[in-house]
C-alpha cells in the first residue's frame, strides 16, 4: 500500500476532520519532510497559524495511541509521530493491526490530497452507512463525470480500518455479480462451496462463513438494481454495509446521496492540480470562466487540466475561445486521458445515458436544449390529449432518473451546460433539426405575443421567467423565425424591459430589431417602420429627442409609402409624432398632426 493511502487510513482511524486530514497528510508526505509549515500552509491555501493549529489538534488525537507525543515539543512531536507511523507502516511489533490484514479488492484511487471538493459528501456518506439499519444501501447517484466511482473508492480506502470483515468491490457491468462474490470469498477467505450447489446456496454458504467484522460491499455502476444487486445481497445483519454507485435515481425507499458538480472554489482547485499555479494566476478571470463553461464537472475539469499540462505555451484565453467554438468536440474534453482511470471523454460519458433513453425522452432532451442556460418553464399540464401528456411525463421522468435534467420546482427544470451542449449536438446530427428549431421558435413567438405594449406589474412577473429564452431565440435562432414572426421576440423583450423602466436593457433589443428586420425584409417593409417607431418612442421616453425625431418621421413616411395615406398605422405614426412635439413644447406643430390622425381614424 502507498504511504499516502496509509496516512489517509490513519487519519480516518483517528477520526480527523477533513481539514485536519489535509494538514496531516501534507505534513507527513515523504517529499515534504524538508519543507516549512509556512510553505505547506501556502500549498493548502491557508494561513500558517491555521496550519499550526490543525497540526496541534492532530497531535492531540494521535497522543491517545502514542502517549509519548504529549511530552514533546512541536518539532519533536512531528519526528516521533513520523517514527511511530513508519514503524506501523512497516509492520513493526508495536503496530496496531494494519491494512494488510484487511481483505479488499478496491481499485486504484487518486491520492487523498488530490481528491478535492468532496469532504462534506464523504462525511455524509459515512454517517448514512453507519446509521442505516440492517443492510444499508446508499446510492451515490448523479450524471456521468461527477465522480461517483471515485467518491466510493476514496470512502472505501479512507475507512478501510472500520471494515475488518473486508471490502468487496463488485462491478455491476462485469461478469455475473454472484460469481464475483464467490471468487472474492475463495481468494481472500478460502471459502469454497460445492460446485453442484445452486448459486443462491453457494452465496449463502459464503455469507454464513464470512470473516468476522463489519463488511463493505460496493456495487459499482448499477443500471438495473433488481437484476444486478437484489439477488446478491447478504443476509440482513448490521455488519453488512452496501454501497451503490449509479446514474439512476431510485425512489425514497432507498437511502441516497445525490452527487452534483463541484462548488466553484473546489473546481478551481481541481483545475490547479495538474497545471502550474503561476500559469493560472496570470489569467485568473479566464480560469474562472473555463470552470464556469465546463459547468464545474469534475471529469471535464480534470481532462482540461491535463490537456493544459501538455500544452505549456497555450494561453487560457485561447483555450476558452476554442472550447466555446468546438464545445464537446474539442480534443481537450472529447477523449479520455490515458493516465486517468476513467475511460471516457465527456461526450462519451453522456452517451452512455443517452443510449438508455427512449425516442420520446431523446426528443424532449433535444427540445429542452434550445432553451437558454437558465431555469426552463416547462409544463405538460396544458396538453389536452391525456395520452400525449402521459408520454411527455414519462419522458421527463426518464431524463430525471438519469440526472440529465434537474428539477428546480413545479414546472421548472434546468440543464447542465455540457449536457445542453450534448443534446444540441444530438439534435444537429438528426434530420429533424431544422423542423424542431422552427417549431420551437414558433412556440416562443406565441409566448411573446402575450406581452402587451405597456405591460403592468402582473404581466412582468408572469413573463420574466421567459426573458432568457426569448433572448436565446432572438440571438441564436432568429433564422428559424418566419418573416411574419421575425420582429416579435425583439419587440417583446424591449417592451418587457421598457415596462420596468429599464431603458438601457431595452435599447439593444429595439436597435437589433431594426437591424435584423432591414437585413431580412429590406428597407421598405411595414415591420421595419414599426421597429423604427418603437426605437423612437424609447428615445423619447429617455429625453433623447434629437435621436427620436428623425426616426418618427422616417417611420411615418415609410408607412405612407407602403400602406397609403388612409391606414390605421399611418394614423398611429401621426399621433406618435404629434405626441413627440407636445413633449418638446412644439404645440403649433403637434396640433395639425393630432387633427389629421383624428380625421383618419374617424
Amino acid at each position: 500500500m502507498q504511504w499516502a493511502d496509509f496516512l489517509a487510513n490513519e487519519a480516518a482511524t483517528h477520526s480527523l476532520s477533513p481539514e485536519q486530514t489535509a494538514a496531516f497528510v501534507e505534513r507527513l508526505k515523504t517529499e515534504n519532510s524538508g519543507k516549512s509549515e509556512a510553505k505547506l500552509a501556502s500549498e493548502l491555501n491557508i494561513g500558517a497559524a491555521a496550519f499550526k493549529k490543525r497540526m496541534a489538534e492532530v497531535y492531540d488525537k494521535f497522543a491517545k495511541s502514542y502517549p509519548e507525543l504529549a511530552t514533546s515539543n512541536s518539532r519533536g512531536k512531528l519526528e516521533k509521530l513520523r517514527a511511530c507511523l513508519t514503524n506501523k507502516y512497516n509492520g513493526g511489533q508495536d503496530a496496531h493491526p494494519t491494512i494488510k490484514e484487511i481483505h479488499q479488492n478496491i481499485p486504484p484511487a487518486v491520492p487523498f490530497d488530490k481528491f478535492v471538493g468532496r469532504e462534506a459528501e464523504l462525511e455524509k456518506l459515512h454517517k448514512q452507512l453507519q446509521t442505516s439499519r440492517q443492510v444499508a444501501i446508499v446510492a451515490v447517484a448523479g450524471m456521468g463525470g461527477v465522480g461517483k466511482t471515485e467518491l466510493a473508492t476514496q470512502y472505501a480506502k479512507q475507512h478501510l480500518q472500520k471494515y475488518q470483515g473486508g471490502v468487496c468491490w463488485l462491478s455491476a457491468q462485469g461478469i455475473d455479480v454472484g460469481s464475483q462474490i464467490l471468487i472474492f470469498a475463495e481468494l481472500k477467505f478460502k471459502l469454497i462451496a460445492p460446485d453442484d450447489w445452486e448459486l443462491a446456496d453457494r452465496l449463502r454458504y459464503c455469507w454464513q462463513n464470512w470473516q468476522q467484522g463489519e463488511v463493505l460491499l460496493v456495487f459499482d455502476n448499477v443500471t438495473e438494481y433488481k437484476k444486478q444487486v437484489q439477488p446478491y445481497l447478504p443476509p440482513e445483519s448490521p455488519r453488512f454495509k452496501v454501497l451503490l454507485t449509479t446514474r439512476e435515481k431510485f425512489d425514497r425507499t432507498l437511502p441516497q446521496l445525490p452527487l452534483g458538480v463541484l462548488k466553484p472554489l473546489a473546481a478551481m482547485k481541481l483545475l490547479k492540480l495538474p497545471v502550474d499555479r503561476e500559469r493560472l494566476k496570470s489569467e485568473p478571470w479566464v480560469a474562472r470562466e473555463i470552470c464556469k463553461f465546463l459547468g464545474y464537472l469534475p471529469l471535464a475539469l480534470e481532462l482540461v487540466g491535463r490537456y493544459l499540462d501538455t500544452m505549456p505555451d497555450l494561453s487560457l484565453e485561447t483555450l476558452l475561445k476554442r472550447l466555446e467554438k468546438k464545445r464537446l468536440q474539442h480534443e481537450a474534453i472529447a477523449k479520455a486521458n490515458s493516465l486517468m482511470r476513467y475511460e471516457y471523454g465527456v461526450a462519451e460519458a453522456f452517451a452512455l445515458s443517452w443510449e438508455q433513453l427512449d425516442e420520446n425522452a431523446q426528443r424532449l432532451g433535444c427540445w429542452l436544449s434550445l432553451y437558454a442556460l437558465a431555469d426552463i418553464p416547462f409544463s405538460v399540464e396544458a396538453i389536452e390529449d391525456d395520452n400525449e401528456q402521459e408520454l411527455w411525463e414519462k419522458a421527463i421522468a426518464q431524463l430525471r432518473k438519469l440526472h440529465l435534467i434537474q428539477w428546480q420546482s413545479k414546472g421548472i427544470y434546468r440543464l447542465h451546460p455540457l449536457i445542453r451542449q450534448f443534446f444540441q449536438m444530438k439534435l444537429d446530427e438528426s434530420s429533424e433539426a431544422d423542423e424542431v428549431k422552427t417549431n420551437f421558435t414558433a412556440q416562443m413567438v406565441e409566448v411573446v405575443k402575450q406581452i402587451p405594449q405597456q405591460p403592468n406589474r402582473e404581466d412582468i412577473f408572469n413573463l420574466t421567467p421567459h426573458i432568457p429564452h426569448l433572448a436565446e431565440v432572438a440571438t441564436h435562432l432568429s433564422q428559424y423565425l418566419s418573416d411574419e414572426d421575425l420582429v416579435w421576440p425583439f419587440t417583446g423583450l424591449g417592451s418587457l424591459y421598457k415596462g420596468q423602466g429599464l431603458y438601457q436593457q431595452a435599447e439593444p433589443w429595439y436597435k437589433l430589431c431594426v437591424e435584423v428586420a432591414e437585413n431580412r425584409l429590406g428597407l421598405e417593409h411595414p415591420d421595419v417602420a414599426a421597429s423604427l417607431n418603437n426605437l423612437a418612442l424609447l428615445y423619447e421616453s429617455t429625453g433623447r429627442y434629437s435621436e427620436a425625431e428623425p426616426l418618427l418621421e422616417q417611420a411615418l413616411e415609410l408607412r405612407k409609402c407602403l400602406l397609403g395615406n388612409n391606414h390605421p398605422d399611418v394614423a398611429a405614426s401621426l399621433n406618435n409624432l404629434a405626441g413627440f412635439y407636445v413633449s418638446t413644447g412644439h404645440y403649433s406643430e403637434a396640433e395639425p398632426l393630432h387633427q389629421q390622425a383624428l380625421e383618419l381614424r374617424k
Side-chain angles (χ1 to χ4, degrees), residues 506-516 531 535 538-539 544:
E507 182 181 352
W509 295 113
Y510 283 135
K511 291 175 74 173
L512 190 57
C513 186
V514 173
E515 180 184 332
V516 170
S531 302
L535 181 58
L538 176 73
Y539 286 151
R544 295 161 67 177

Side-chain angles (χ1 to χ4, degrees), residues 235-249:
E236 293 188 356
S237 167
R239 80 187 189 99
F240 286 105
K241 308 292 183 182
V242 178
L243 172 63
L244 313 180
T245 75
T246 177
R247 292 174 179 233
E248 299 194 0
K249 183 179 178 68

Side-chain angles (χ1 to χ4, degrees), residues 235-513:
E236 293 188 356
S237 167
R239 80 187 189 99
F240 286 105
K241 308 292 183 182
V242 178
L243 172 63
L244 313 180
T245 75
T246 177
R247 292 174 179 233
E248 299 194 0
K249 183 179 178 68
F250 297 112
D251 62 38
R252 295 179 185 273
T253 58
L254 199 64
Q256 294 170 64
L257 175 67
L259 195 63
V261 297
L262 295 173
K263 295 286 190 291
L265 198 60
M268 181 68 80
K269 191 173 181 181
L270 180 58
L271 185 64
K272 284 179 181 178
L273 289 177
V275 184
D276 180 68
R277 180 174 299 194
E278 294 304 317
R279 187 175 175 189
L280 294 183
K281 279 185 177 180
S282 66
E283 298 179 86
W285 179 84
V286 183
R288 288 195 292 272
E289 285 300 303
I290 287 176
C291 291
K292 183 179 178 181
F293 176 84
L294 299 174
Y296 310 108
L297 184 70
L299 172 60
L301 289 161
E302 186 172 358
L303 285 170
V304 167
R306 290 177 180 272
Y307 179 81
L308 282 168
D309 191 42
T310 65
M311 301 278 188
D313 295 327
L314 177 65
S315 75
L316 270 61
E317 185 175 2
T318 299
L319 175 61
L320 178 58
K321 288 179 180 177
R322 291 175 182 174
L323 285 170
E324 290 172 339
K325 182 179 179 180
K326 295 186 177 180
R327 312 210 294 175
L328 290 179
Q329 295 176 332
H330 190 279
E331 61 179 312
I333 55 177
K335 295 183 178 180
N337 186 294
S338 59
L339 298 176
M340 293 168 57
R341 188 164 59 116
Y342 197 69
E343 57 185 314
Y344 302 109
V346 175
E348 293 171 323
F350 295 160
L352 297 175
S353 296
W354 171 265
E355 290 161 4
Q356 296 182 49
L357 301 173
D358 65 23
E359 189 176 340
N360 282 329
Q362 290 180 350
R363 188 179 293 117
L364 177 58
C366 292
W367 178 271
L368 294 175
S369 74
L370 296 175
Y371 286 88
L373 199 58
D375 285 349
I376 301 172
F378 186 84
S379 174
V380 298
E381 292 179 353
I383 300 175
E384 295 181 0
D385 185 284
D386 195 54
N387 290 330
E388 186 180 352
Q389 186 181 103
E390 190 173 358
L391 282 176
W392 287 115
E393 287 170 348
K394 288 180 178 178
I396 291 172
Q398 274 197 49
L399 292 169
R400 287 191 63 195
K401 185 177 181 181
L402 292 170
H403 299 268
L404 294 172
I405 59 173
Q406 303 157 25
W407 183 84
Q408 302 296 109
S409 59
K410 182 177 172 59
I412 303 294
Y413 300 92
R414 178 169 287 199
L415 287 176
H416 182 274
L418 298 185
I419 289 286
R420 178 172 175 260
Q421 289 181 28
F422 178 80
F423 283 153
Q424 287 178 346
M425 183 175 73
K426 286 297 180 183
L427 175 59
D428 289 338
E429 290 173 358
S430 77
S431 59
E432 302 175 348
D434 287 348
E435 181 184 354
V436 171
K437 292 175 183 178
T438 300
N439 291 338
F440 178 80
T441 56
Q443 182 169 310
M444 295 306 293
V445 167
E446 293 306 308
V447 173
V448 82
K449 285 180 178 179
Q450 301 173 30
I451 303 173
Q453 283 193 340
Q454 295 181 322
N456 58 33
R457 182 175 296 179
E458 185 179 355
D459 295 325
I460 291 168
F461 177 80
N462 291 332
L463 293 164
T464 293
H466 297 279
I467 286 179
H469 311 299
L470 295 174
E472 182 71 16
V473 168
T475 307
H476 296 112
L477 296 171
S478 63
Q479 67 267 39
Y480 297 98
L481 290 162
S482 66
D483 288 353
E484 294 75 19
D485 292 339
L486 180 62
V487 300
W488 276 103
F490 303 95
T491 56
L493 287 162
S495 296
L496 275 176
Y497 284 122
K498 184 182 176 185
Q500 300 174 71
L502 302 173
Y503 301 118
Q504 283 188 327
Q505 286 95 319
E507 182 181 352
W509 295 113
Y510 283 135
K511 291 175 74 173
L512 190 57
C513 186

Side-chain angles (χ1 to χ4, degrees), residues 200-220:
D201 295 326
R202 297 174 73 190
L203 287 172
R204 190 177 302 111
Y205 170 81
C206 289
W207 298 134
Q208 291 172 348
N209 295 279
W210 201 275
Q211 181 171 296
Q212 290 302 306
E214 286 197 32
V215 181
L216 178 64
L217 299 171
V218 182
F219 292 79
D220 187 34

